[in-house]
Amino acid sequence: MYLPDFEYYAPDSIAEACQLLSQFGAKAKVLAGGTDMVVKMKNELLAPEVVVSVKNLEQLKKIEYVAGKGVCVGALCTHNDLVKSDVLKERYPSVANAARQMANNQVRNRGTVGGNISNAVPSADLPPIFIALNATAKLVGTKGERTVAMEDLFTGPGKTVMAQDELIAEVFIPDQKMTGSNYIKFGLRKSGALAVVGVAVAVQVENGVIKDARVALGAVAATPVRAKKTEEFLKGKNATDDVLAEAGVIASGECKPISDIRASAEYRTDLVRIFTKRALRKAVDEGHV
Amino acid sequence: MSSFVVDKDGIKRYAVTVNVNGSDYTKVIKANTLLVNLLRDDLDLTGTKRGCELGDCGCCTVMLDGNPVNACLVLAIDCDGREITTIEGIQDGEDLDIVQEKFIEHAGFQCGFCTPGMIVSSRALLNENPSPTEYEVREAIAGNLCRCTGYVNIVAAVLDAAENL
Ligand SMILES: Cc1cc2nc3c(=O)[nH]c(=O)nc-3n(C[C@H](O)[C@H](O)[C@H](O)COP(=O)(O)OP(=O)(O)OC[C@H]3O[C@@H](n4cnc5c(N)ncnc54)[C@H](O)[C@@H]3O)c2cc1C
Ligand code: FES
Ligand code: FES
């Protein structure tokens, strides 16, 4: 298979990249790892006239802890960069684990955090765990930069609040009061399968009592969604099996899945019930964020 | 950015230099050239296979700066200045690599179409982790589909290679 012709740019700075995106408007597309875009171009779902490769933006390839603030993940980090990051292994193993469950090794070596988010696919694996950890995205455009909460970034399948000339530069995971977090992905195979359901949770537990909780669901609505009723229900409760099971029931009532080739809406709804319970149990028991 | 010429057809062609299996090659290519096509069509390195061409099967696996990637999803121009190892670069001169030897010993292939990608993924794993568990081997080759062997002999070959590195 061969790709259609396009104009190619590989800018050396973020400003230059945004300038190109602004200049060419809707004709231009950012190319990061290409694991989504090249597939779409081959399937004739996308034919950008201008491709802006971000391969030279080295400053977006780092994962760093900013003392007293949180972890900054550059948008061009690959999924395997997350899997192998010592900073994430120490502070947010749930994020490294979510990345490890994605795609296959070859795709994890190319696919990036920024591409996974910008795609805005409801089944994408990183947004739920980032939402559960209250992460934000730094967007940079020709008019300057802004910070958007991950949960407010998505507006529909394939749609985000990002402007045509904006790039995702980084994801920031703030320091937490949360004591545990977890992401469970259910796919039809262990590898190379998109999520049929993805459940991410973060909890703050003190002396067996849940002080705070965030629950984010993937692949069961037009965008990744927070299960706010479930979160409210959990606050102040003892982290018993019965309570976590009931939280699962509430969460299954909060999702609006569709039936598709991978699973029926009913099946997805029931999976949310089970995986919410299990993800909460793990986050409570493992006791590290 | 790489230098380019505008051809008669009005399309830009870029001088791209890649180091493949230890030697530098400079080729003048269009920006839409995929790495798998550069390797096969321009460099005659046909050990790297084209299968699904969508990132699912792993037949086209090569190492890019040591990490296995699907050459069918990577633009060749994005590899300018980088190092690529294909199946042709795995063996050591005339001698087969230990992974190749063990694939033969354990009958880790039948039709052989998945084998180049399978061996590149396995070798990359062993370079990074010389004593993998069975789980780690299976994880490393999960993006390499084999429709013949059922994987059992492949996994045995890689584990045996690890013990004899
Ligand atoms: C075999 C296979 C398996 C897969 N499995 C999974 C899986 O299990 N889970 C999962 O979530 N995904 C999966 N994917 C999808 C894909 O690999 C990921 O979503 C990946 O993170 C995309 O990143 P990329 O860098 O390759 O994006 P690209 O293909 O380069 O880009 C994707 C989109 O994002 C835009 N973009 C990229 N970076 C930026 C940026 N910094 N700022 C603004 N826009 C940007 C591009 O313009 C494009 O529209 C799979 C893909 C394949 C081929
Ligand atoms: S040919 Fe590249 S993954 Fe199948
Ligand atoms: S040996 Fe035939 S596909 Fe693997």
Side-chain angles (χ1 to χ4, degrees):
Chain A
M1 267 186 251
Y2 297 82
L3 296 178
D5 283 308
F6 48 75
E7 281 271 317
Y8 173 90
Y9 294 90
D12 288 318
S13 71
I14 302 179
E16 204 187 321
C18 297
Q19 179 51 43
L20 287 162
L21 291 174
S22 160
Q23 180 186 338
F24 293 107
K27 289 183 201 160
K29 275 292 223 180
V30 174
L31 178 72
T35 61
D36 186 75
M37 200 157 114
V38 173
V39 173
K40 282 207 181 108
M41 288 167 76
K42 288 184 173 182
N43 286 332
E44 298 181 10
L45 297 172
L46 204 63
E49 287 174 40
V50 175
V51 167
V52 179
S53 170
V54 286
K55 66 167 179 178
N56 292 331
L57 306 183
E58 292 298 326
Q59 67 272 41
L60 303 185
K61 297 181 184 171
K62 289 184 220 133
I63 302 176
E64 280 169 337
Y65 180 62
V66 186
K69 295 210 162 121
V71 174
C72 179
V73 180
L76 292 188
C77 291
T78 65
H79 305 320
N80 268 345
D81 289 337
L82 304 188
V83 174
K84 291 172 191 167
S85 156
D86 289 331
V87 172
L88 287 178
K89 272 190 228 161
E90 187 197 329
R91 292 179 184 273
Y92 299 110
S94 58
V95 175
N97 276 333
R100 191 170 175 181
Q101 294 176 57
M102 292 171 75
N104 56 49
N105 195 39
Q106 292 89 325
V107 171
R108 287 196 296 275
N109 277 328
R110 290 292 294 171
T112 64
V113 171
N116 195 247
I117 296 169
S118 317
N119 254 343
V121 177
S123 64
D125 285 306
L126 295 177
I129 189 68
F130 284 145
I131 292 172
L133 293 169
N134 204 10
T136 55
K138 182 162 109 185
L139 308 182
V140 184
T142 46
K143 296 192 189 78
E145 58 179 67
R146 58 182 175 136
T147 301
V148 178
M150 190 67 64
E151 63 172 298
D152 297 331
L153 198 75
F154 307 100
T155 53
K159 296 204 178 78
T160 67
V161 299
M162 289 163 67
Q164 164 64 32
D165 68 345
E166 278 182 321
L167 279 182
I168 295 194
E170 63 192 39
V171 171
F172 189 77
I173 312 172
D175 281 348
Q176 313 270 325
K177 289 218 175 84
M178 297 300 189
T179 52
S181 65
N182 196 255
Y183 174 68
I184 299 186
K185 167 183 186 167
F186 180 80
L188 296 182
R189 297 180 304 277
K190 274 194 193 153
S191 161
L194 298 184
V196 167
V197 158
V199 178
V201 302
V203 290
Q204 181 193 357
V205 183
E206 275 169 30
N207 304 322
V209 178
I210 301 170
K211 297 271 172 191
D212 196 6
R214 285 171 71 94
V215 178
L217 309 173
V220 290
T223 64
V225 285
R226 262 179 81 187
K228 291 191 181 167
K229 286 183 198 148
T230 312
E231 296 173 1
E232 279 312 311
F233 164 80
L234 285 165
K235 281 178 202 165
K237 300 258 182 356
N238 284 319
T240 63
D241 284 344
D242 286 347
V243 164
L244 303 189
E246 194 170 342
V249 174
I250 299 172
S252 68
E254 288 195 82
C255 62
K256 297 181 198 64
I258 54 163
S259 294
D260 66 8
I261 186 169
R262 285 185 211 103
S264 67
E266 292 78 5
Y267 185 46
R268 283 196 162 95
T269 306
D270 208 40
L271 289 173
V272 167
R273 177 178 68 80
I274 292 167
F275 289 117
T276 302
K277 177 180 74 176
R278 288 188 193 164
L280 285 167
R281 184 79 268 161
K282 280 200 165 164
V284 169
D285 291 350
E286 283 174 10
H288 52 56
V289 198
Chain B
M1 181 143 153
S2 345
S3 57
F4 62 83
V5 292
V6 182
D7 252 322
K8 288 190 283 291
D9 54 11
I11 294 168
K12 286 179 187 160
R13 283 178 171 73
Y14 299 82
V16 168
T17 303
V18 283
N19 183 292
V20 183
N21 303 330
S23 309
D24 279 340
Y25 297 88
T26 301
K27 289 278 162 186
V28 179
I29 57 167
K30 295 203 292 181
N32 65 354
T33 307
L34 292 160
L35 177 58
V36 69
N37 296 337
L38 175 81
L39 294 171
R40 290 180 55 91
D41 302 349
D42 296 310
L43 300 179
D44 271 339
L45 293 169
T46 53
T48 304
K49 301 301 175 201
R50 283 189 281 242
C52 68
E53 303 198 51
L54 297 172
D56 289 308
C57 76
C59 284
C60 63
T61 305
V62 299
M63 291 183 217
L64 177 57
D65 293 338
N67 297 317
V69 302
N70 293 316
C72 69
L73 296 185
V74 180
L75 293 187
I77 193 169
D78 273 351
C79 303
D80 196 17
R82 299 179 68 177
E83 277 179 27
I84 289 147
T85 307
T86 69
I87 184 66
E88 290 88 349
I90 298 282
Q91 79 182 65
D92 184 10
E94 287 296 294
D95 297 329
L96 291 182
D97 182 59
I98 184 75
V99 179
Q100 293 172 308
E101 276 177 20
K102 292 297 174 186
F103 265 64
I104 295 171
E105 200 179 309
H106 289 267
F109 50 86
Q110 290 176 28
C111 80
F113 200 75
C114 69
T115 312
M118 207 56 100
I119 288 177
V120 171
S121 280
S122 306
R123 186 70 244 186
L125 168 72
L126 297 183
N127 289 348
E128 195 175 295
N129 175 2
S131 44
T133 61
E134 179 179 338
Y135 182 88
E136 287 165 338
V137 171
R138 288 185 178 272
E139 187 177 44
I141 61 167
N144 295 87
L145 304 186
C146 175
R147 296 301 79 183
C148 301
T149 65
Y151 305 101
V152 173
N153 292 355
I154 294 174
V155 173
V158 181
L159 288 170
D160 194 3
E163 289 195 0
N164 291 281
L165 281 178

